[in-house]
Each structure stands twice: as structure tokens, then as C-alpha cells.
Amino acid sequence: MSFASSSHAYPNPSFDISDRKVAYFSMEIALSKSLPTYSGGLGMLAGDTLRSAADTGVSMVAISLVHRRGYFEQHLDAAGQQTESDVVWSPESTLPSANQTITLRMQNRDITLCAWRFDVVGVTGHVIPVFLLDADVDGNDPWDQHLTDHLYGGDTYYRLCQETILGLGGIHLLHALGCQPEVCHMNEGHAALLTIGLLEARLAPSPIYAATDADADAIKQRCVFTTHTPVPAGHDKFGIDQMIQILGHERSSAIERFNCIHNGLLNMTYLALRFSRYVNGVAMLHGKVSQQMFPEYQVHAITNGVHAATWLAQPFQQLFDKEIPSWRHDNQYFRSVYGIEASIIDATHAVSKQRLFDTVRQRTGLQFDPDILTLGFARRVATYKRANLVLYSPERLIAIAERLGGLQILMAGKSHPADNAGKSIIRGIFTAAAKLEHSKLRVLYLENYDWELGEQLTNGVDVWLNTPLRPYEASGTSGMKAALNGVPSLSIMDGWWVEGCAENITGWCIENTEDEVAQAEYLYDKLENAVAPLYRDKVLWAEMRRHCIAMNGTFFNTHRMLGQYVSNAYFPASASVAASDQIVTSEVAQAVLV
Ligand SMILES: *Cc1c(COP(=O)(O)O)cnc(C)c1O
């Protein structure tokens, strides 16, 4: 197996992590293009966070699971029917061992966990070690050996076992390795059981049911929680019976006693909320929405970002290394892209566009035209993301394409294997695309959306399209990758776009409406009357590309985001600092929430 990413090395087998201050826990982390340890946006964000931590020298260590069979590889037949296959990899022939095992009591039996270490290496050589927990250990119950095989696979029982390994196993591993982190960051509720791990370790050798409110508060002072979606399916819930079966009576009674049972269920979001000193959403609007979902807790907001060096196309990297070399450790220097001719930015983007079309031809045999306006839409296929909205009215779309002298749309996205609604959306797009066969319009859905394809699509198309049902797109990060590469967005005012949209400068907003027909119409109107005229003006379009980088690339990156986590969440200078970033209620937010 070869590594496409350079942020990996085989350094010293014994690595001292005892001085690490922040422990970052995530069920998925996109570490390398060749490792299937992520599913989508959450894992990308986690990986980008660690890459920025490495570049900017943050004292951090990370925990995840090994996912020996990955998420899945997507196959689509001619009708758009999705099938899946495992992505099997072998950590023993890929990564150094952590040289540490721990034993955890769960399901009323012992399980031994080992771990593999992946080093994320920053621009100045600072390393963030990531430990991937692995249950495939000789002597474990044969069923248990498969508990770290499938990311988001199996039923709720399997999932709770995985979350127990992540949270409780992760804390015990860190302690075994000599690390007592000052701050534990839960990247989504999947990791919430780390709080119980901390409580258990604090009380040991006394049993956890001896915990007092003072003990619980001490844990709370050390924990930070980021919630990532208002969609109910994103908030894991488990039955009380399952909780007791897997965690046992002692931990379960502690969870109950500290009021972490919500509506009769073990709710990972409430567990995380209960034990966190700082809670945040992933964009300003999402913070506001989350505040309304959890009125009894104070919810802040830190807007997501992307790791610039990961998502910038090579030609841009070379240009910026020459013109603004400090960008690699400090993304604020992107602002000085205004010192580079807009036409050079435009020409640099054209290289990415051609590369994307070369990839399309290699994969499908189809030839796309680099002179024609090309829209991109690629995301996890969840119903609220409405991948099919742009195809709502074929006649209207064809009319627009004719007036424009041509229009190309590239799409991609995986549906979770158990999400039949998502799968039927993909089939629907294939059906619609087949009917749209027209000399001026091309719609193509590419197979197996992943890191590589995400990179090529976001940096190669002309406009990045985003049509979620507001306010369900908590942040979205693909549009940020596009912006960094000089690609404007055409998007509903949701997630990050509320903060990133300067009309006709960094892109366009699609007015929001509840009515689906009207929503598609608004999209077509913008495309025809705002996007198309600007595209015809090569000078203005090139300037727009530059605005995207200067205004949005400078802000929507994980260097800035992580800086905010450090100063507002991990190590606030005082309580007043932590309180001062409370959500400002914008009119947009008000409009959504009434
Ligand atoms: C960036 C990325 C995502 C997340 O993008 P969204 O805009 O949040 O949908 C998902 N999957 C892949 C492969 C990505 O590169």
C-alpha cells in the first residue's frame, strides 16, 4: 500500500505523549488518501484539524478506531443502483504499533484492545500522534474481534460497542501511555463515553457509583464537545437494556444518576452536553439552531474550516509558495492574493479544470469541454441535501443550457448502505440525467466519491452548488475547499454560506423557500440571470476567483478554526472570553427559527 499523503512517517517507535495537553476523539478521521478510516465530512474535518494542529504546533494527540474494512467502496450500475464492497486494509503492514494493550470490561466480559499509530507531521516537523484502537486481538471473543471492522456498520448494539471502545478504551489507552490530557475534545457525540472513562479513572480503585457531584464537575472542567448536525439521525440513542448489557450496571447507574438519560434512552449528545465545560456548533447559524435544541445548555459556535495545503490544487500551491510562502503555517497571508494578477489566478484554476476533465475521461470515456460553464455537486447523499433539486425541471435546465451555449454538471456522492431513500435519490438522478441527453447539456454522476474525487471536483469545476434544506446543513466544508481554489458557490443560505456569501463577489445565494418547485425556480433564476452573465465576462470572473481566495480562503480554514478552539474552548484566558463569543442572532437565523 502506498501513501499519497506526505503527512505520514515511520519515526521512533517509542513516542512520549505524556506532555500532550489536548486529546481529540473522533469516530472517523481522514488520515491519508489510502486509508479507509473515514466516511465523509466529519472525518475530513477531524483529519484537517489534526493537520492544522501539526502545522501550528498544538499540543495534541488523537484517538479513533482502526476500521479494518473501512466505510465502503461504492459501485453504481447503469441505472444508478448502488452496491457496496469492503475496503480491507492491514494496519500491521502499514503502521507502527503503539506497543500498548489495554483490557476493558464490556458486555460482561473482558476485551483486549491494541492500537496502531499514525503520525500526522506538520510543516515544521511537529507531530500529532493518532492512535487507532483495534479489537482484532487473539484471545478476544471471536465476535468482539470484528468490533473495529466497519465504520458506521452493524446495528445499534454494534455501534454502542464501538463507542464504548472509542470513549472508554481511548481514555484508558492514553492513561496507559502516560498521558493525562488537560482537555478532551469530543468531535461529535460518538465519543461521549470518554467522560465515563475519565470518571472511572478518577475514582479508581473505587467503583464509579461512588462518584459525587464534585467528581462529575471535575470531569466537566476538562471536556469540550462539538455537535455537528441538527438532523435527529446524527444524535445516537440507545436503549437502557443495551446500555446495561454493554456497559454493565455500575457505569449505567452512574450515567442515570448524573441525568444523562433522555426520554428513556442513553443519548450520546446529552451525555456529552452534561459533562462538557464548552459546547459548540460548527457555524454561527448552527450554533444558534443547536442552542434552541438544547436550551438548558450554553452553546457557542466555531465555524469549520479546511486544511489549505490538503485541498489546494498543486498549481496553486506552487504559485503561492512563490508569491506568499508564509501561507503554509499562517493562512491569513492568503489575503495578499490581491497582490497577484487575477488573470494568473484564472489560468491556474484552468489547469485544475483540465485535470478534472482528464480524470472524467479516464473514468467514463466522456469528454467534457473546458470552455463550458461547469457546476459541481458532491456530497453524502442524505435527503436534506437535495442532490436532485438542480434536475427538478429538465425543460428549464435545457433552456438555460441553450441560452448559455452549454452547461455541464458533475455530481457524486455515496449513500449509507442502509439508507434506501438516499439510494433512490441516486437512481432518480440517473433517470433524470438519461432524459436530459442534449447537445448543450451534460449531467454526469461519478462513482465512489472520496478524498481524491472530492479534491478534483472542488478545485476543478467553475461553480460549487449547494442546495440543502435549511437549517440542516450545519456547516458544509466542500464549498470551502472550492473557495480556496478560486471557485465560487451557488448555495442556499445555510451553514457556512451565511458567513461566506458576498453576493456577486464570492458567489451567490439561492433565496430560501419552503416550496420545492419555487426553490428550484430560484436556483434556475440565479443561474441564468446572475451566474451566466458573469461567466461571460472573463475579467470579472477572474476577479471573483481571487475574491474567493482572499476573502473566504483566508477565513474558512482549519488553522483559523483550531486557533479559535485553542483560545475560546481549550484554554480560555478567562470565563469572560468563553462567554464573549455567544451567538449573535442575525436576521437570517431569526428567519429560520421562527
Ligand atoms: C469535504 C468532503 C466532505 C464534506 O463536504 P460537505 O460539504 O460537508 O458535504 C464529504 N466527503 C468528502 C469525500 C469530502 O472531501
Side-chain angles (χ1 to χ4, degrees), residues 478-504:
S478 53
M480 301 176 184
K481 299 167 191 167
L484 198 58
N485 284 281
V487 173
S489 281
L490 170 60
S491 169
I492 303 263
M493 272 293 187
D494 199 10
W496 81 284
W497 195 234
V498 177
E499 297 154 62
C501 178
E503 187 76 8
N504 279 316

Side-chain angles (χ1 to χ4, degrees), residues 367-434:
Q367 186 69 59
F368 274 56
D369 183 343
D371 291 328
I372 290 179
L373 177 66
T374 304
L375 311 184
F377 183 106
R379 6 195 89 73
R380 190 164 57 79
V381 185
T383 11
Y384 78 86
K385 298 201 184 224
R386 299 193 297 196
N388 43 6
L389 191 77
V390 66
L391 305 178
Y392 201 90
S393 166
E395 304 75 38
R396 183 90 162 83
L397 201 57
I398 287 173
I400 294 173
E402 282 176 342
R403 281 199 51 194
L404 274 170
L407 179 65
Q408 302 174 135
I409 306 178
L410 282 169
M411 308 182 79
K414 292 176 179 176
S415 169
H416 185 280
D419 181 2
N420 291 323
K423 288 184 172 180
S424 98
I425 289 174
I426 302 179
R427 287 195 307 272
I429 292 171
F430 269 66
T431 310

Side-chain angles (χ1 to χ4, degrees), residues 206-343:
S206 300
I208 189 174
Y209 62 69
T212 63
D213 284 349
D215 293 318
D217 199 54
I219 303 309
K220 181 174 168 173
Q221 291 313 315
R222 295 173 61 189
C223 293
V224 167
F225 170 46
T226 303
T227 177
H228 284 269
T229 179
V231 179
H235 300 264
D236 284 339
K237 302 168 197 76
F238 303 97
I240 302 287
D241 289 353
Q242 234 166 36
M243 170 177 77
I244 294 171
Q245 266 181 303
I246 295 167
L247 294 174
H249 281 284
E250 285 190 11
R251 294 178 186 130
S252 299
S253 65
I255 289 171
E256 286 183 42
R257 195 152 54 81
F258 289 115
N259 291 322
C260 303
I261 301 298
H262 191 257
N263 291 338
L265 297 169
L266 167 59
N267 182 315
M268 302 313 260
T269 302
Y270 279 89
L271 179 59
L273 287 167
R274 167 67 180 83
F275 282 104
S276 290
R277 163 174 59 76
Y278 184 97
V279 176
N280 72 288
V282 290
M284 298 308 275
L285 175 59
H286 176 240
K288 180 79 191 161
V289 171
S290 303
Q291 181 64 83
Q292 301 219 345
M293 288 170 69
F294 313 116
E296 58 279 41
Y297 297 92
Q298 188 183 11
V299 183
H300 302 264
I302 295 177
T303 303
N304 280 346
V306 296
H307 182 252
T310 300
W311 297 105
L312 254 185
Q314 275 309 320
F316 272 120
Q317 299 206 18
Q318 282 154 16
L319 177 67
F320 296 155
D321 280 343
K322 190 158 85 34
E323 303 289 340
I324 38 176
S326 304
W327 72 273
R328 285 190 186 269
H329 72 270
D330 183 350
N331 291 173
Q332 307 214 54
Y333 287 103
F334 281 134
R335 187 71 180 203
S336 58
V337 73
Y338 280 126
I340 303 174
E341 294 276 347
S343 59

Side-chain angles (χ1 to χ4, degrees), residues 137-210:
V137 175
D138 284 344
N140 280 344
D141 178 281
W143 189 81
D144 290 359
Q145 291 181 5
H146 296 288
L147 281 174
T148 50
D149 277 0
H150 289 282
L151 173 59
Y152 306 140
D155 54 11
T156 58
Y157 187 93
Y158 185 82
R159 177 74 71 92
L160 184 55
C161 287
Q162 288 193 326
E163 296 190 6
T164 303
I165 291 172
L166 178 68
L168 285 155
I171 287 294
H172 291 307
L173 178 76
L174 287 175
H175 289 171
L177 290 169
C179 177
Q180 298 276 345
E182 288 173 31
V183 177
C184 290
H185 185 170
M186 293 168 257
N187 187 44
E188 192 52 297
H190 308 134
L193 284 167
L194 74 82
T195 60
I196 302 303
L198 287 171
L199 200 56
E200 219 165 48
R202 179 182 168 88
L203 283 147
S206 300
I208 189 174
Y209 62 69

Side-chain angles (χ1 to χ4, degrees), residues 38-42 44 306 311 378-380 385 449-455 458 464 466 473 475-481 496:
Y38 68 96
S39 122
L42 186 72
M44 281 300 176
V306 296
W311 297 105
R379 6 195 89 73
R380 190 164 57 79
K385 298 201 184 224
Y449 179 45
D450 63 0
W451 183 334
E452 177 67 39
L453 192 55
E455 183 181 306
T458 51
W464 194 248
N466 183 36
E473 188 62 275
S475 167
T477 52
S478 53
M480 301 176 184
K481 299 167 191 167
W496 81 284

